[in-house]
Amino acid sequence: MKDFRSKLMSNPQTITGYAAGAFAAPTGEAIPVIDPATGTTVAVLHESDGAEVDTAVAAARDAFRAGPWAGASVADRQRALHAIHDAILEHAEELAALETLNTGIPFIQTKNIHLPRAAQNFRFFAEFINQDGGEVFTQEPGYMSLVTYEPIGVCALIGPWNMPLGLTAMKMAGALAFGNTCVVKPSEITPLTLARLFEIIDAKGILPPGVINLVNGRGHVTGEALSAHPDIDMVSFTGGTETGARILGALAKGIKGGAMELGGKSPSIVFADADIERALDGAMLGSFMNNGQMCLAGSRLFVHEQVADEFIAAFTTRTKALRVGDPFDPATEIGPMINAAQVARVASYVESGLGQGATLLAGGGQIESDGFFIEPTVMQSNSNALAICQEEIFAPFATIQTFSDEDEVIARANDSAFGLVGYVWTADLERALRLSRRLATGTVLVNTPIMRDLRTGFGGVRQSGLGREGAKGSRAMFTEMKSTIIALERPALPRMGTGN
Ligand code: NAD
């Protein structure tokens, strides 16, 4: 896999947009794409300006109007989605290597988790539309009421850098399954895998021209041109809360909707009756997988005081033992941060935590290298009000608080601007169900770290977002619900304007 890196370092790739079945010429502003493990340029992205965004949106609109996709039979759409699933798996090794090169996420994770999941999204939605249907209501005598779901039109799909292919593949699969066309905008920091996926789909001729389109570039240029475009019908966005708010502002002007998968600061609560070894495994994964750069990271830990000494000592020892290094090395557990800004951000949180009275249990420093490596960090705090417990750090950085009482820990867990996931570690079923009700989050995970089930909806409350991704959540996002009410009989109607 290291060959892969040297090949791209000596011959950086050129990344451009794609519209109406053709890749754009590399004319836009050139932005280097960096390998965060070495700090070297591995590709050059040519930014899509307003005119290029117009072209991509027009291609999606034409393809939607002309109807080869929205009007295709479910069987045809299923065939295409299955073909994309197969194509991703056929290229899994290469796509995983590109993802690792661009994000710094360990190759064993991109290969074994991200890639299968990216592919599975297409298979899941292909199967879902075969069973999915509308609704019929017959309760009103003399009437039959139908609810049908129609494609919404042109979807703008804007993704983040922390899981570029997996997260955007879910949006693409959902949007396409329900008959929409789309314009995809990856993060300008991590455009490599989606650009390659577009090449693969194009080479295999899986979709009619214009059904999928790609624009690349920075948020304030390409992202804004796309999300404020008058001819898109919705935005499905995954990224930071502030960006989500800006996009919602742009959408409000056109009275359009958007689905927002935003940040998190998820509590992970370890009760004294939990299987402590398993809770430790889960807390380590929840804090440090994906280099800790996960929206659903369960990195705000609460540990019951009866088991706190044992748990905190083991968590600290294991954090110090994490293997940080080259993400292509199979032994590596933590790769580099995405960029220098993220390294500086972590350092500022260590300083802020110490300044506000937290104790540094592990890490806290930078690792000298050409890449962006930091030491995995744990800080203990006796207050949930500290910035390190309230703000999303998006790094291998866990905070630990102790607690003595269920009501008290629920209040502290819910004391957050975010509400994405709540993790509960307990052997008590009644307690697990009670917490499932009382945690103010979109998802509650009991005795398991990160777990997604596409049949359920994933999304957040409060500043963690709007809408849910997954079977019916994605249908709500990517379709318009239409009601048709039919009179089955012809009872006499009041005859206005006849004098009777
Ligand atoms: P970001 O908000 O900086 O960028 C996300 C995308 O939005 C990028 O493609 C960017 O170019 C684009 N963008 C930026 N400004 C824009 C604008 N004004 N208009 C339109 N587009 C714009 O987020 P990021 O730093 O790439 O990703 C990290 C964030 O994403 C974290 O907060 C994380 O929690 C969140 N995230 C959430 C989920 C979830 O499912 N809830 C999943 C992954 C990541």
Coordinates of all heavy atoms in Angstrom, one line a residue, residues 68-84 122-123 125-132 176-179 206-208:
P68 N -35.3 9.7 -17.7 CA -34.8 8.4 -17.8 C -34.5 7.7 -16.4 O -34.5 6.5 -16.3 CB -33.5 8.5 -18.5 CG -33.0 9.9 -18.3 CD -34.3 10.7 -18.1
W69 N -34.4 8.6 -15.4 CA -34.1 8.0 -14.1 C -35.3 8.0 -13.2 O -35.8 7.0 -12.7 CB -32.9 8.7 -13.4 CG -32.5 8.1 -12.1 CD1 -32.7 8.7 -10.9 CD2 -31.9 6.8 -11.9 NE1 -32.3 7.8 -9.9 CE2 -31.8 6.7 -10.5 CE3 -31.5 5.8 -12.7 CZ2 -31.3 5.5 -9.9 CZ3 -31.0 4.7 -12.2 CH2 -30.9 4.5 -10.8
A70 N -35.9 9.2 -13.0 CA -37.1 9.4 -12.2 C -38.2 8.4 -12.7 O -39.0 7.9 -11.9 CB -37.6 10.8 -12.1
G71 N -38.3 8.3 -14.0 CA -39.4 7.5 -14.6 C -39.0 6.0 -14.8 O -39.8 5.2 -15.3
A72 N -37.7 5.7 -14.4 CA -37.3 4.3 -14.6 C -38.1 3.3 -13.7 O -38.5 3.7 -12.6 CB -35.8 4.2 -14.3
S73 N -38.2 2.1 -14.1 CA -38.9 1.1 -13.2 C -38.0 0.9 -12.0 O -36.8 1.1 -12.0 CB -39.1 -0.2 -14.0 OG -37.8 -0.8 -14.2
V74 N -38.6 0.4 -10.9 CA -37.9 0.1 -9.7 C -36.8 -1.0 -10.1 O -35.7 -0.9 -9.6 CB -38.9 -0.4 -8.6 CG1 -38.1 -1.1 -7.5 CG2 -39.6 0.8 -8.1
A75 N -37.2 -1.9 -10.9 CA -36.2 -3.0 -11.3 C -35.0 -2.4 -11.9 O -33.8 -2.8 -11.6 CB -36.9 -4.0 -12.2
D76 N -35.2 -1.4 -12.8 CA -34.0 -0.7 -13.4 C -33.2 0.0 -12.4 O -31.9 0.0 -12.5 CB -34.5 0.2 -14.6 CG -34.9 -0.6 -15.8 OD1 -34.5 -1.8 -15.9 OD2 -35.5 0.0 -16.7
R77 N -33.9 0.7 -11.5 CA -33.1 1.5 -10.5 C -32.3 0.5 -9.6 O -31.2 0.7 -9.2 CB -34.0 2.3 -9.7 CG -34.1 3.8 -10.2 CD -34.8 4.6 -9.2 NE -36.2 4.9 -9.7 CZ -37.3 5.1 -9.0 NH1 -37.1 5.0 -7.6 NH2 -38.4 5.3 -9.5
Q78 N -33.0 -0.6 -9.3 CA -32.3 -1.6 -8.4 C -31.1 -2.1 -9.1 O -30.0 -2.2 -8.5 CB -33.2 -2.7 -8.1 CG -34.3 -2.4 -7.1 CD -35.1 -3.7 -6.8 OE1 -35.8 -4.2 -7.7 NE2 -35.0 -4.2 -5.6
R79 N -31.2 -2.4 -10.4 CA -30.0 -2.9 -11.2 C -28.9 -2.0 -11.1 O -27.7 -2.4 -10.8 CB -30.4 -3.2 -12.6 CG -30.7 -4.6 -12.9 CD -30.8 -4.9 -14.5 NE -32.0 -4.3 -15.0 CZ -33.2 -4.8 -15.0 NH1 -33.4 -6.0 -14.4 NH2 -34.2 -4.2 -15.5
A80 N -29.2 -0.7 -11.3 CA -28.1 0.3 -11.2 C -27.5 0.4 -9.8 O -26.2 0.5 -9.7 CB -28.6 1.7 -11.7
L81 N -28.3 0.4 -8.8 CA -27.8 0.5 -7.5 C -26.9 -0.7 -7.1 O -25.9 -0.6 -6.5 CB -28.9 0.7 -6.4 CG -29.7 2.0 -6.6 CD1 -31.0 2.0 -5.7 CD2 -28.8 3.2 -6.1
H82 N -27.4 -1.9 -7.5 CA -26.6 -3.1 -7.3 C -25.3 -3.0 -8.1 O -24.2 -3.5 -7.6 CB -27.4 -4.4 -7.7 CG -28.4 -4.8 -6.7 ND1 -28.0 -5.1 -5.4 CD2 -29.7 -4.9 -6.7 CE1 -29.1 -5.4 -4.7 NE2 -30.2 -5.3 -5.5
A83 N -25.3 -2.5 -9.3 CA -24.1 -2.4 -10.1 C -23.1 -1.4 -9.4 O -21.9 -1.7 -9.4 CB -24.4 -1.8 -11.5
I84 N -23.6 -0.4 -8.7 CA -22.7 0.5 -8.0 C -22.1 -0.2 -6.8 O -20.9 -0.1 -6.5 CB -23.3 1.9 -7.6 CG1 -23.8 2.6 -8.8 CG2 -22.4 2.7 -6.8 CD1 -24.7 3.9 -8.6
F122 N -25.8 1.1 -1.1 CA -26.5 1.0 -2.4 C -27.4 -0.3 -2.4 O -28.5 -0.2 -2.9 CB -25.4 1.0 -3.5 CG -24.8 2.4 -3.7 CD1 -23.7 2.7 -3.0 CD2 -25.5 3.3 -4.5 CE1 -23.1 4.0 -3.2 CE2 -24.9 4.6 -4.6 CZ -23.7 4.9 -4.0
R123 N -26.9 -1.3 -1.8 CA -27.6 -2.6 -1.8 C -28.9 -2.4 -0.9 O -30.0 -2.8 -1.2 CB -26.8 -3.8 -1.3 CG -27.6 -5.1 -1.5 CD -26.7 -6.2 -1.5 NE -26.1 -6.5 -0.2 CZ -25.3 -7.4 0.1 NH1 -24.8 -8.2 -0.9 NH2 -24.8 -7.6 1.3
F125 N -30.6 0.3 -0.1 CA -31.7 1.2 -0.7 C -32.3 0.5 -1.9 O -33.5 0.7 -2.2 CB -31.2 2.6 -0.9 CG -31.2 3.4 0.3 CD1 -30.0 3.7 1.0 CD2 -32.4 3.8 0.9 CE1 -30.0 4.4 2.2 CE2 -32.4 4.6 2.1 CZ -31.2 4.9 2.7
A126 N -31.5 -0.3 -2.6 CA -32.0 -1.1 -3.7 C -33.1 -2.0 -3.2 O -34.2 -2.1 -3.8 CB -30.9 -1.8 -4.5
E127 N -32.8 -2.6 -2.1 CA -33.8 -3.6 -1.5 C -35.0 -2.9 -0.9 O -36.1 -3.3 -1.1 CB -33.1 -4.5 -0.5 CG -32.2 -5.5 -1.3 CD -31.2 -6.3 -0.4 OE1 -31.3 -6.1 0.8 OE2 -30.4 -7.1 -1.0
F128 N -34.7 -1.8 -0.3 CA -35.8 -1.0 0.4 C -36.9 -0.6 -0.6 O -38.1 -0.7 -0.3 CB -35.2 0.2 1.1 CG -36.2 1.0 1.9 CD1 -36.8 0.5 3.1 CD2 -36.6 2.2 1.4 CE1 -37.8 1.2 3.7 CE2 -37.6 3.0 2.1 CZ -38.2 2.4 3.3
I129 N -36.5 -0.1 -1.7 CA -37.5 0.5 -2.7 C -38.3 -0.7 -3.3 O -39.4 -0.4 -3.8 CB -36.9 1.4 -3.8 CG1 -35.8 0.7 -4.6 CG2 -36.5 2.7 -3.2 CD1 -35.3 1.4 -5.8
N130 N -37.8 -1.9 -3.2 CA -38.6 -3.0 -3.7 C -39.8 -3.3 -2.8 O -40.8 -3.8 -3.3 CB -37.8 -4.2 -3.9 CG -38.4 -5.2 -4.8 OD1 -39.0 -4.8 -5.8 ND2 -38.2 -6.5 -4.6
Q131 N -39.7 -3.0 -1.5 CA -40.7 -3.3 -0.6 C -41.5 -2.1 -0.2 O -42.7 -2.2 0.3 CB -40.1 -3.9 0.7 CG -39.4 -5.2 0.5 CD -40.2 -6.3 0.0 OE1 -41.4 -6.4 0.3 NE2 -39.7 -7.1 -0.9
D132 N -40.9 -0.9 -0.4 CA -41.5 0.3 0.1 C -42.7 0.7 -0.7 O -42.8 0.4 -1.9 CB -40.4 1.4 0.0 CG -40.9 2.7 0.6 OD1 -41.6 2.7 1.7 OD2 -40.6 3.8 0.0
L176 N -30.7 8.5 -5.1 CA -30.9 7.8 -6.3 C -32.1 6.8 -6.2 O -32.9 6.6 -7.1 CB -29.6 7.1 -6.8 CG -28.5 8.0 -7.2 CD1 -27.2 7.2 -7.5 CD2 -28.8 8.9 -8.4
A177 N -32.1 6.1 -5.1 CA -33.1 5.0 -5.0 C -34.5 5.6 -5.1 O -35.4 5.0 -5.8 CB -33.0 4.4 -3.6
F178 N -34.7 6.8 -4.6 CA -36.1 7.4 -4.7 C -36.3 8.2 -6.0 O -37.3 8.9 -6.1 CB -36.4 8.2 -3.5 CG -36.4 7.4 -2.2 CD1 -35.3 7.5 -1.3 CD2 -37.4 6.5 -2.0 CE1 -35.3 6.7 -0.1 CE2 -37.4 5.7 -0.8 CZ -36.4 5.8 0.1
G179 N -35.4 8.1 -6.9 CA -35.6 8.6 -8.3 C -35.1 10.0 -8.5 O -35.5 10.6 -9.5
I206 N -23.0 3.1 -15.8 CA -24.1 2.5 -15.0 C -25.3 3.5 -15.0 O -26.5 3.0 -14.9 CB -23.6 2.3 -13.5 CG1 -22.5 1.2 -13.5 CG2 -24.8 1.9 -12.6 CD1 -21.9 1.0 -12.1
L207 N -25.1 4.8 -15.1 CA -26.2 5.7 -14.9 C -26.4 6.6 -16.2 O -25.3 6.9 -16.8 CB -26.0 6.6 -13.7 CG -26.1 5.9 -12.3 CD1 -25.5 6.8 -11.3 CD2 -27.5 5.5 -12.0
P208 N -27.6 7.0 -16.5 CA -27.7 8.0 -17.7 C -27.0 9.3 -17.3 O -26.9 9.7 -16.2 CB -29.2 8.2 -17.7 CG -29.9 7.1 -17.0 CD -28.9 6.7 -15.9

